[in-house]
């Protein structure tokens, strides 16, 4: 079949629509059946646009007894009864919550819809009282346990993250509302909630003791997202078409897809996951781009980073932490790590079982370079639109061997930083150096090191290998001497490319590059 005849579910998050319109579907129904067979409440945390809404919609279709929608899928051979249950599906993802009234209006919208079916005798009561009554009446009138599905339960909380008073109000409302799920247990058949992060102070986590948080459990790791096996088995025609347009081999295309979009790990299992949103958009546009990152601007993450004075180089290079350090978010702390991880900008890269320590890092190149480019305007006067342009100019100068133009451009880069930024700490300037070289890494092999005994930066082009050493408190000659004494060039002696040493001093008074020498 021609790939143009195969329908990609771009923007479709409803299982019914996906199936009735003949869209391509990565079959997750076997694990959905296993989960639905139990009666404990579930919670799943995953980044935005990772398939949570489709998952909730699939559960909805299953509990509505829609056997027709599951024809040809794994669940068809597992389910024999196809019972119908009353389903209360609450989706908090669609609205912008700027005031308490916005949240109450959204809850009222759903409550009124449910009350029209099951009774509105409590319509003048509080949202939690109405919710409790609807659950009870739905069970009594149908003789079936009620299924409650909540998509993006934390959306209002995330939008109020930096407004403490509004956050407290949202938390108070949602604590009471979600608390109904515990008191109404006798009327419930199944509960499944999704969100980006786990707010410890919300009732659903503190009071609902039997809640099964499957966010980091191995058996459920692949419930959202696409494995490499699923990518190849489901989308081979699309991969072949992409390879043809990009003038690449099939194998190289899969490798490029892996580097760009694979690498999400939500537990310490070895198999990585591709972001579904990016995968579908690559096949639709037949171009590699930062699709997922472009759909949302994580300004609240940068604000958190500023408040916490977190060393960005630790986040970018990867860091070790226990699960308690990133798996649960507490809004009163100034640790940005849990939010950055749960939002999808960091993922699990390794796990030391003996020490019970996780290594967190960027999942893939799309997230890595998207995040770096997003950060640049917060540390320099360069806008996000200019970031790629500037990185390319730096790269071209080193590719041509013009180190002097490269260094002069770097000087201009620092000279443009406004005076108010010039009062920043030494770390601020180290981070700027760091970001420039990291961004170059999308075009050439560029490494930036901070560990003792390694060069500050190494850039490898087709013909040359550059080793940079920066001295924030020292001379150019001391920088060059350190390159020799520490043996920074030794690993590259047999490479065959020209080796270039660059010593750089930083002028603290002018807050700019001072002298530099190239050997």
């Amino acid at each position: 079949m021609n790939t143009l005849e195969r329908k990609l579910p771009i923007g479709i998050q409803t299982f019914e629509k996906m199936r009735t319109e003949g869209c391509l579907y990565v079959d997750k129904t076997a694990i959905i059946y296993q989960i639905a067979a139990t009666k404990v409440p579930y919670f799943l945390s995953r980044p935005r646009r990772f398939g949570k809404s489709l998952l909730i919609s699939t559960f909805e279709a299953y509990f509505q007894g829609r056997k027709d929608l599951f024809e040809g899928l794994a669940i068809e051979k597992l389910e024999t009864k196809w019972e119908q249950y009353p389903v209360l599906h609450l989706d908090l993802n669609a609205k912008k919550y700027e005031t308490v009234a916005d949240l109450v209006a959204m809850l009222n919208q759903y409550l009124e819809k449910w009350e029209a079916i099951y009774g509105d005798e409590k319509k003048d009561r509080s949202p939690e009282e109405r919710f409790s009554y609807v659950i009870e009446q739905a069970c009594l009138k149908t003789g079936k346990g009620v299924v409650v599905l909540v998509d993006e339960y934390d959306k209002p909380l995330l939008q109020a993250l930096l407004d403490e008073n509004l956050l407290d109000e949202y938390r108070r409302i949602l604590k009471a509302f979600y608390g109904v799920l515990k008191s109404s247990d006798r009327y419930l058949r199944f509960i499944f909630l999704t969100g980006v992060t786990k707010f410890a102070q919300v009732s659903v986590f503190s009071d609902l003791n039997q809640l099964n948080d499957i966010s980091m459990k191995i058996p459920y790791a692949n419930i959202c997202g696409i494995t490499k096996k699923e990518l190849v088995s489901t989308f081979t025609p699309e991969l072949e078409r992409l390879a043809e347009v990009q003038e690449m081999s099939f194998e190289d295309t899969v490798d490029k897809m892996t580097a760009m979009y694979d690498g999400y790990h939500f537990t310490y299992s070895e198999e990585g996951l591709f972001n579904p949103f990016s995968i579908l958009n690559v096949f639709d546009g037949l171009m590699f781009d930062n699709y997922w990152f472009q759909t949302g601007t994580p300004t609240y993450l940068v604000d958190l980073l500023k408040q916490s004075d977190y060393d960005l180089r630790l986040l970018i290079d990867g860091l070790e932490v226990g699960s308690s350090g990133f798996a649960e978010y507490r809004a009163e702390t100034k640790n940005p790590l849990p939010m950055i991880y749960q939002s999808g900008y960091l993922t699990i890269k390794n796990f030391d079982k003996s020490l019970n320590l996780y290594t967190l890092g960027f999942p893939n190149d799309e997230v890595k370079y998207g995040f770096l480019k997003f950060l640049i305007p917060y540390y320099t006067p360069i806008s996000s639109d200019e970031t790629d342009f500037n990185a390319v100019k730096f790269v071209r100068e080193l590719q041509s061997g013009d180190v002097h133009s490269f260094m002069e451009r770097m000087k201009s880069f620092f000279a443009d930083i406004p005076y108010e930024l010039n009062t920043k700490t030494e770390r601020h300037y180290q981070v700027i150096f760091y970001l420039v070289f990291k961004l170059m890494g999308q075009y050439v092999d560029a490494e930036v090191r901070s560990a003792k005994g390694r060069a500050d930066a190494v850039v490898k082009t087709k013909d040359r290998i550059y080793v940079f050493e920066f001295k924030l408190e020292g001379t150019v000659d001391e920088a060059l001497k350190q390159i020799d004494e520490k043996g920074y060039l030794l690993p590259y002696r047999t490479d065959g490319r020209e080796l270039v040493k660059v010593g750089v001093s930083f002028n603290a008074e002018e807050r700019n590059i001072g002298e530099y020498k190239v050997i």
Side-chain angles (χ1 to χ4, degrees):
M1 181 184 292
N2 190 300
T3 53
L4 294 178
E5 298 174 8
R6 288 162 55 92
K7 190 167 183 179
L8 296 167
I10 302 288
I12 297 178
Q13 301 180 61
T14 305
F15 182 72
E16 179 181 11
K17 187 175 182 181
M18 180 174 288
R19 298 293 289 167
T20 55
E21 295 189 3
C23 296
L24 291 173
Y25 174 68
V26 178
D27 192 352
K28 303 285 186 178
T29 59
I31 189 170
I32 286 173
Y33 173 78
Q34 294 171 14
I35 293 173
T38 65
K39 296 187 177 181
V40 297
Y42 286 88
F43 170 70
L44 177 71
S45 168
R46 286 292 183 269
R48 60 186 169 80
R49 295 188 178 272
F50 222 88
K52 299 189 298 294
S53 296
L54 177 60
L55 176 65
I56 287 290
S57 179
T58 308
F59 275 119
E60 181 176 29
Y62 170 76
F63 280 109
Q64 288 174 338
R66 295 292 307 275
K67 180 181 179 180
D68 58 305
L69 298 178
F70 293 88
E71 183 178 346
L73 300 179
I75 201 171
E76 187 181 33
K77 298 178 181 178
L78 301 171
E79 182 57 78
T80 58
K81 295 182 180 179
W82 293 102
E83 295 184 73
Q84 184 175 354
Y85 296 86
V87 178
L88 305 181
H89 179 182
L90 174 63
D91 182 2
L92 294 181
N93 192 44
K95 191 175 180 66
K96 190 168 184 179
Y97 302 93
E98 297 180 336
T99 66
V100 171
D102 292 332
L103 175 56
V104 173
M106 178 59 81
L107 295 178
N108 282 340
Q109 177 181 320
Y110 280 94
L111 287 166
E112 288 167 4
K113 182 173 75 172
W114 300 333
E115 287 169 339
I117 303 171
Y118 302 112
D120 64 355
E121 286 80 0
K122 305 285 186 179
K123 64 180 180 181
D124 295 325
R125 303 288 184 89
S126 64
E128 62 269 20
E129 289 179 281
R130 294 165 64 190
F131 188 34
S132 177
Y133 183 74
V134 164
I135 291 174
E136 177 185 344
Q137 290 302 303
C139 178
L140 295 177
K141 289 185 177 182
T142 64
K144 296 278 191 179
V146 177
V147 173
V148 176
L149 306 171
V150 182
D151 193 13
E152 305 287 7
Y153 91 97
D154 56 347
K155 185 69 175 287
L157 300 170
L158 289 174
Q159 293 189 350
L161 197 60
L162 301 175
D163 185 335
E164 190 173 338
N165 293 331
L166 189 58
L167 181 63
D168 284 342
E169 282 296 302
Y170 286 172
R171 194 159 46 215
R172 177 185 60 79
I173 294 169
L174 292 177
K175 179 179 175 66
F177 193 81
Y178 294 135
V180 169
L181 298 176
K182 181 178 181 180
S183 59
S184 300
D185 182 64
R186 75 180 85 171
Y187 305 113
L188 295 167
R189 160 65 179 86
F190 183 76
I191 302 170
F192 200 102
L193 298 93
T194 72
V196 169
T197 191
K198 181 179 177 181
F199 281 83
Q201 310 95 323
V202 179
S203 175
V204 69
F205 299 115
S206 58
D207 295 343
L208 204 56
N209 300 327
Q210 71 273 37
L211 183 74
N212 186 7
D213 182 356
I214 60 174
S215 304
M216 292 183 65
K217 293 186 176 180
I218 291 175
Y220 311 95
N222 299 342
I223 192 169
C224 289
I226 300 172
T227 66
K228 182 178 282 190
K229 182 179 178 181
E230 290 170 335
L231 175 73
V232 174
S233 64
T234 306
F235 299 104
T236 288
E238 284 71 29
L239 287 166
E240 291 173 340
R241 175 63 175 151
L242 178 63
E244 178 187 351
V245 171
Q246 293 294 325
E247 299 181 339
M248 301 167 65
S249 69
F250 183 86
E251 292 73 20
D252 287 345
T253 301
V254 173
D255 288 344
K256 174 88 173 192
M257 294 285 283
T258 302
M260 285 287 291
Y261 310 114
D262 192 10
Y264 290 92
H265 294 263
F266 302 107
T267 180
Y268 55 82
S269 59
E270 293 182 0
E271 189 170 36
L273 290 168
F274 289 78
N275 183 314
F277 182 82
S278 295
I279 293 298
L280 294 175
N281 278 281
V282 171
F283 292 147
D284 186 52
L286 297 174
M287 290 179 60
F288 297 103
D289 204 347
N290 299 332
Y291 296 102
W292 178 81
F293 200 92
Q294 292 170 359
T295 63
T297 305
T299 51
Y300 63 91
L301 295 182
V302 175
D303 290 333
L304 283 172
L305 286 168
K306 286 181 177 179
Q307 289 181 13
S308 65
D309 193 32
Y310 214 90
D311 190 342
L312 279 175
R313 293 168 297 174
L314 294 176
L315 296 179
I316 294 167
D317 277 340
L319 68 164
E320 282 191 320
V321 64
S323 62
S324 61
F326 67 92
E328 185 175 274
Y329 185 73
R330 295 183 178 274
E332 74 273 6
T333 71
K334 290 188 176 181
N335 176 17
L337 191 59
M339 185 61 69
I340 294 173
Y341 164 77
Q342 293 175 28
S343 297
Y345 300 100
L346 294 177
T347 195
I348 297 169
K349 305 299 286 187
N350 195 19
F351 179 66
D352 187 330
K353 292 182 180 179
S354 63
L355 298 175
N356 203 33
L357 286 177
Y358 294 85
T359 299
L360 303 183
F362 290 120
N364 50 49
D365 285 351
E366 175 187 22
V367 177
K368 176 181 178 180
Y369 293 115
F371 194 69
L372 292 175
K373 280 185 274 190
F374 178 75
L375 288 174
I376 280 284
Y378 292 88
Y379 286 84
T380 74
I382 302 299
S383 71
S384 56
D385 293 335
E386 298 174 292
T387 299
D388 275 331
F389 179 70
N390 279 275
V392 167
K393 282 192 171 181
F394 280 121
V395 167
R396 283 178 173 165
E397 285 159 353
L398 291 188
Q399 285 176 332
S400 66
D402 190 355
V403 185
H404 295 289
S405 293
F406 175 89
M407 293 306 305
E408 290 303 318
R409 186 175 303 282
M410 188 75 82
K411 276 188 176 183
S412 298
F413 197 75
F414 278 90
D416 286 341
I417 297 176
Y419 176 77
E420 58 267 23
L421 285 181
N422 285 343
T423 60
K424 294 286 185 180
T425 63
E426 180 178 284
R427 181 194 291 176
H428 182 87
Y429 293 94
Q430 290 174 324
V431 168
I432 294 174
F433 278 126
Y434 188 85
L435 289 174
V436 168
F437 280 95
K438 279 292 184 183
L439 280 166
M440 288 168 57
Q442 63 193 304
Y443 306 107
V444 291
D445 187 359
E447 303 174 358
V448 194
R449 303 286 189 181
S450 55
K452 187 177 180 181
R454 298 187 181 182
D456 285 333
V458 176
V459 179
K460 302 174 186 176
T461 66
K462 180 182 177 183
D463 301 314
R464 300 171 186 84
I465 297 178
Y466 299 90
V467 175
F468 290 82
E469 185 63 28
F470 297 95
K471 284 295 178 184
L472 291 169
E473 294 180 4
T475 67
V476 169
D477 291 331
E478 288 173 339
L480 292 170
K481 184 179 179 181
Q482 183 170 324
I483 292 175
D484 292 332
E485 290 183 347
K486 296 290 186 179
Y488 293 157
L489 287 172
L490 289 178
Y492 314 111
R493 288 294 185 192
T494 60
D495 184 276
R497 283 175 281 188
E498 180 185 351
L499 302 182
V500 182
K501 295 184 290 186
V502 185
V504 185
S505 69
F506 189 80
N507 188 317
E509 187 174 314
E510 295 185 9
R511 300 192 182 278
N512 203 328
I513 290 171
E515 294 183 293
Y516 62 87
K517 285 185 181 179
V518 184
I519 299 178

